[in-house]
Amino acid sequence: MKESITSTYRQLNLLEPTLEEIYQQDLPTAATRIWKTCQWAERGSGSWRIGDYKFLVISITPEPETTLYVQFWSEPDEDVVAEVCSGEWAPDALKFVQQRQRELMRSLGYDTGGRAKNFRKVISIRNAAEAEQVARETLRIFYDCFDYRGQWPLSFHGKRGGRAESVPVY
């Protein structure tokens, strides 16, 4: 009986999901996508070259023209750069990134930097367990900073590429 009352409250938006419920809903996908982005074969395997990279952007769109995101940049044998939207290059996002959000980002070890002046930090993701820890922190950022309660879909956009060009040598 209690379960159906909880479901009814949720349908009526009278009861917000907890962070733990967000973890249950989104953590498996977020952790898997982060690990796929940060996992590289061992040096000498031939599956990557110097200059290769992968990135992943996890985002929500709480309003038209407003995207809030956490993104990851990964290169072989390097630490990962994690960045969180600061609103500097997206003025529509500024109302979602106020003093409270900036303080939380600093408490999590993020500083502003880079051309976009996003919140950023360098992290190490060497295995699936570390990817899950990072996914937990990412979902906490969405929950605590951006008031994500599952009301908007989480979007995952990733890419693998390279900066080095292969040319024949004669």
Side-chain angles (χ1 to χ4, degrees), residues 8-23:
T8 302
Y9 276 114
R10 285 228 168 81
Q11 289 171 351
L12 297 172
N13 290 323
L14 299 174
L15 186 62
E16 289 186 345
T18 64
L19 180 55
E20 194 57 43
E21 289 170 319
I22 294 296
Y23 287 154

Side-chain angles (χ1 to χ4, degrees), residues 55-62 65-73 81-94 96-97 105 110 113 115-120 137-139 141-142 145-146 148 152-157:
F55 72 81
L56 173 67
V57 179
I58 304 173
S59 63
I60 56 173
T61 305
E65 308 298 320
T66 304
T67 301
L68 307 171
Y69 58 86
V70 178
Q71 62 188 12
F72 302 92
W73 179 272
V81 176
E83 290 190 340
V84 180
C85 171
S86 67
E88 289 294 322
W89 277 16
D92 291 338
L94 272 176
F96 293 94
V97 187
M105 296 311 303
Y110 288 82
R115 284 187 15 205
K117 297 182 183 164
N118 281 329
F119 300 104
R120 66 182 352 211
E137 181 174 277
T138 299
L139 292 172
I141 290 167
F142 278 107
C145 282
F146 303 142
Y148 170 72
W152 312 291
L154 275 179
S155 173
F156 296 85
H157 173 73

